[in-house]
Amino acid sequence: IKKSLLGNPIYEVVFTREIDGWNPPQIEGVILLDKNLKSIQFEISNPQKLNPILIKKISESFPILSFQEKHRRLEDAYLEAIKHQIS
């Protein structure tokens, strides 16, 4: 139920140094959502299958400090649903 309300999980990768000018690998099922100087956020359709691939490809370019799912609450899904009904 949670996935149907919130969509695919979002993961954040934090790096040990700045990644300015670098573009992450393109992998089917992985959508880049946000990129900062030391972190990236992805929406990942099948984490069990795609996370190891993504971690391997990213770590070939930059050292990873952390890779973790961003926890979202059902309340966030409710607020998103309300926003979509209003617009």
Side-chain angles (χ1 to χ4, degrees):
I1 293 175
K2 186 176 178 181
K3 184 175 179 177
S4 67
L5 292 172
L6 295 175
N8 291 323
I10 295 174
Y11 284 80
E12 181 177 50
V13 184
V14 178
F15 299 96
T16 59
R17 60 187 171 104
E18 291 185 4
I19 58 166
D20 193 33
W22 176 75
N23 290 314
Q26 294 183 346
I27 300 170
E28 188 175 334
V30 177
I31 300 169
L32 175 66
L33 298 177
D34 190 29
K35 180 180 169 190
N36 297 303
L37 287 177
K38 289 185 119 179
S39 68
I40 297 178
Q41 290 183 12
F42 296 99
E43 179 181 316
I44 301 176
S45 63
N46 184 348
Q48 284 188 307
K49 177 184 173 190
L50 298 173
N51 282 2
I53 296 167
L54 183 61
I55 290 169
K56 182 178 186 309
K57 288 188 178 277
I58 290 174
S59 64
E60 289 171 355
S61 299
F62 287 94
I64 296 173
L65 180 63
S66 66
F67 185 100
Q68 61 187 358
E69 183 175 358
K70 291 196 60 127
H71 294 283
R72 297 179 292 166
R73 304 170 306 161
L74 289 176
E75 291 85 356
D76 297 332
Y78 175 77
L79 293 174
E80 270 307 303
I82 297 297
K83 280 185 202 176
H84 289 302
Q85 285 183 346
I86 293 174
S87 53

